[in-house]
DNA sequence: TTGTAAGCGTTATCAG
DNA sequence: CTGATAACGCTTACAA
């Protein structure tokens, strides 16, 4: 079913149908006839023809790189909410671990003429972004810092700093930090550095802190801590780069000390405020981020970029709340 | 940058460029010239023009209705994996609670000429599906049963049945079941009915079981169980329709009985095998589903539909594994 | 207000 | 093997 067929049925021109759809001059009489014809035929206009003609899609592409699931859905919800309200559509692509998957997803979005692209927690592969620069498609990066690029992210450093310094540690405290590894910049170095800086502030030098590297999943946290405790050393605090890792840490600690809460058992801290963890192991110190807010801010930035009312590149850092202390 | 411009630069016709891209007859010499021109200009072909011309997009739309996050990402990963391998693209839309959001998402996919649509855990709004039937776009429904439609789902009834009957309950056991409410068919009635049937099999009639309705989140599970326990009754088992609810239940039980594990404390069961819950509260009885497998099966079904080699409507039910017993 | 017609970037047909 | 050309469905000058 096409424009023209509907027009014929309504006894008007195809231009009139187009005007009906997009709100142009039209007599009430024709308006009704066209409405009836559309209703009757179940006509659905072709977005592709429109985009081809208009050279823009009023759609923003969103590339979700495999990460913490609730982060992804939270940020996405915020993005869509703002974009829809601003009259834009969203087109998502979920990218796993496969080689080139991110490049392919971005490329295919470009082919479909998205007007802007939002990259969520993807490690910035430089070559990929050139693609969009060349095409003058604005980019917003979420969850990562990128030099001289529009990005929205959380203050992982500050959050870890505050968490560490509010733990009540003294100079004799025995602390371990379970790092998420360098694959995830925000989980990795930012949190680790902030944590160490926070401890230093309360008098604990970096040398006194044991840092080991895990993955970012429950299992990886579990094995890292199991290995750590097998050494025979005792810790007052074991801090983890994510709540999932913290869950694994708790399991390892229980296996070592038994189920009762003894004084010598290390305290565990996490990152992310996972509701299940808080309910079952809580309250434990962790950090809460507002993912939806993050999506909204990113969308706002994108819409500003799209509307052209933007002076220069902006890097926005969102706050946090330390909970469970 | 267009087809024609590239052709001009390479000194060939636009048809040759098209053939280059899609693998048609072409001399080696021209092939090289075209490759060079594309490289030089950074030409990206217009998918919209191609779709317009071809009247198909080789793309499957996937509508994700707000639900358990890890279910969504797992199923999506499986879907994409199979679809990509079969030469199709995927276009996702995430749909929250907003009015008409699902309709809008589906409509917009239709406008973009997706070749098929997969609906994940969306409550089946009948009117929406007619849209696609009219357009002859095949539909696959994931996570819900729908009469005489192609669907892939888990055997929630069977899983709950097995879980219940392997709990070791006797005729004098005091059991409570926390339902997720009717908004979610698979979480709701299927699991509840299976659970009750499983208990009946081991000799426990339905009247002996207290069923209350919660939500499907941690908090809702918490409040439901808190209220339940406030009545003063004792339970041997409190089974929950989801792992998140189970986490809330555990919190409520701890508040009632204290942190030590006493004999009279109710055991808790969940559904979904959430890794954080298993690490921290486990092992507790729960059910494991393979979400990625589910996505793969749905994609397989869709590709069969798309290729036209399909006899009739199929409803596929996937198995489960009861764990933590 | 309304209709005609050009053009958006592809692909496929068809004649060389 | 190759190139001209029509057509896909839509929007928008432009003319009426």
């Amino acid at each position: 079913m096409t424009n023209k067929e509907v027009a014929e049925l309504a006894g008007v021109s195809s231009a009139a149908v187009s005007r009906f759809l997009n709100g142009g001059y039209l007599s009430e009489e024709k308006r009704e006839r066209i409405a009836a014809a559309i209703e009757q035929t179940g006509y659905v206009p072709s977005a592709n023809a429109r985009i081809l003609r208009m050279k823009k899609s009023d759609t923003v592409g969103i590339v979700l790189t495999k990460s913490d699931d609730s982060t992804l859905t939270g940020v996405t919800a915020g993005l869509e909410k703002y974009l829809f309200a601003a009259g834009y559509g969203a087109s998502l692509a979920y990218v796993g671990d496969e080689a080139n998957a991110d490049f392919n997803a971005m490329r295919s979005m470009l082919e479909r003429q998205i007007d802007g692209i939002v990259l969520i927690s993807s490690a910035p592969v430089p070559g990929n972004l050139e693609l969009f620069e060349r095409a003058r498609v604005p980019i917003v990066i979420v969850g990562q810092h990128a030099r001289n690029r529009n990005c929205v992210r959380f203050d992982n450093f500050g959050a870890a700093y505050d968490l560490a310094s509010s733990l009540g540690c003294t100079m004799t405290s025995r602390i371990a930090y379970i790092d998420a590894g360098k694959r995830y910049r925000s989980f990795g170095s930012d949190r680790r550095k902030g944590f160490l800086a926070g401890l230093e502030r309360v008098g604990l030098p970096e040398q006194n802190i044991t840092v080991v590297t895990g993955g970012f999943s429950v299992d990886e946290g579990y094995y890292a801590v199991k290995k750590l405790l097998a050494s025979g050393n005792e810790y007052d605090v074991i801090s983890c780069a994510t709540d999932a890792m913290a869950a694994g840490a708790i399991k390892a600690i229980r296996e070592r000390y038994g189920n009762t809460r003894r004084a010598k058992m290390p305290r565990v801290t996490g990152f992310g405020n996972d509701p299940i963890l808080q309910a079952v192991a809580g309250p434990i110190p962790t950090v809460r981020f507002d993912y939806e807010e993050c999506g909204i801010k990113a969308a706002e930035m994108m819409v500003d970029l799209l509307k052209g009312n933007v002076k220069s590149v902006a890097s926005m850092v969102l706050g946090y709340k330390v909970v469970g202390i």
Side-chain angles (χ1 to χ4, degrees), chain A:
Chain A
M1 186 55 49
T2 78
N3 198 329
K4 202 163 280 183
E5 294 176 87
V6 172
E8 219 153 295
L9 208 147
V12 299
S13 73
S14 72
V17 175
S18 179
R19 285 197 267 263
F20 174 86
L21 259 18
N22 305 307
Y25 293 130
L26 210 49
S27 68
E28 194 50 45
E29 184 215 342
K30 303 213 168 187
R31 195 176 297 278
E32 277 166 21
R33 292 221 307 273
I34 294 172
I38 288 176
E39 165 71 19
Q40 188 188 139
T41 56
Y43 165 65
V44 174
S46 158
N48 298 294
R50 178 167 31 77
I51 296 170
L52 181 60
R53 173 67 224 245
M54 309 280 276
K55 296 183 146 202
K56 67 191 189 57
S57 61
D58 292 324
T59 296
V60 172
I62 301 174
V63 178
L64 307 161
T65 302
K66 188 175 185 172
S67 166
D68 182 50
D69 297 336
S70 57
T71 309
L72 255 31
T73 53
V75 175
T76 301
L79 272 163
E80 287 195 343
K81 183 185 274 187
Y82 190 96
L83 287 175
F84 291 169
Y88 291 90
S91 181
L92 313 182
Y94 177 84
V95 162
D97 299 325
E98 312 80 19
N100 287 107
D102 50 353
F103 178 81
N104 293 336
M106 290 163 77
R107 163 89 183 193
S108 124
M109 293 198 151
L110 210 50
E111 293 184 353
R112 286 182 304 165
Q113 292 254 2
I114 47 129
D115 295 344
I117 190 156
V118 178
L119 268 19
I120 300 183
S121 36
S122 64
V125 182
N128 288 358
L129 300 186
E130 285 172 12
L131 214 59
F132 293 93
E133 281 172 350
R134 217 158 170 166
R136 304 269 163 133
V137 171
I139 308 166
V140 170
I141 293 174
V142 174
Q144 301 277 342
H145 177 65
R147 300 178 61 81
N148 200 33
R149 293 219 119 89
N150 297 290
C151 50
V152 180
R153 65 187 203 279
F154 292 107
D155 184 5
N156 278 288
F157 181 93
Y161 184 96
D162 276 8
L163 178 74
S165 45
S166 57
L167 244 29
C169 294
T170 65
M171 285 182 53
T172 60
S173 297
R174 294 153 305 177
I175 319 269
Y177 183 77
I178 318 298
D179 194 7
K182 58 193 70 104
R183 265 185 63 196
Y184 305 90
R185 188 180 207 284
S186 58
F187 294 170
S189 49
D190 288 357
R191 291 183 187 175
R192 187 191 63 244
K193 285 179 188 156
F195 190 78
L196 295 176
L199 288 179
E200 190 171 354
R201 178 180 162 242
V202 296
L204 267 156
E206 191 167 331
Q207 307 91 278
N208 290 16
I209 298 144
T210 307
V211 176
V212 302
T213 297
F216 93 103
S217 67
V218 173
D219 285 346
E220 291 166 310
Y222 168 72
Y223 287 116
V225 174
K226 196 172 177 74
K227 205 166 127 192
L228 184 72
L229 294 179
S231 69
N233 291 328
E234 303 277 343
Y235 296 92
D236 298 305
V237 173
I238 296 181
S239 282
C240 302
T242 70
D243 269 7
M245 295 164 75
I250 289 171
K251 184 179 175 194
I253 290 169
R254 292 238 179 98
E255 289 181 3
R256 167 85 156 69
Y257 292 92
N259 256 313
T260 48
R261 301 208 168 180
R262 297 196 227 153
K264 68 192 302 208
M265 271 176 68
R267 289 151 64 201
V268 171
T269 78
F271 232 97
N273 197 35
D274 180 275
I276 290 183
L277 183 66
Q278 277 302 323
V280 179
I284 68 168
T286 187
V287 172
R288 179 154 58 80
F289 293 123
D290 189 335
Y291 298 117
E292 185 164 334
E293 175 71 8
C294 175
I296 290 175
K297 288 300 180 193
E300 206 177 319
M301 196 178 267
M302 175 54 75
V303 170
D304 279 351
L305 251 16
L306 257 17
K307 295 231 156 99
N309 45 10
V310 103
K311 32 268 145 202
S312 63
V313 167
S315 170
M316 180 179 289
V317 177
L318 300 177
Y320 51 86
K321 191 150 174 77
V322 175
V323 299
I325 295 283

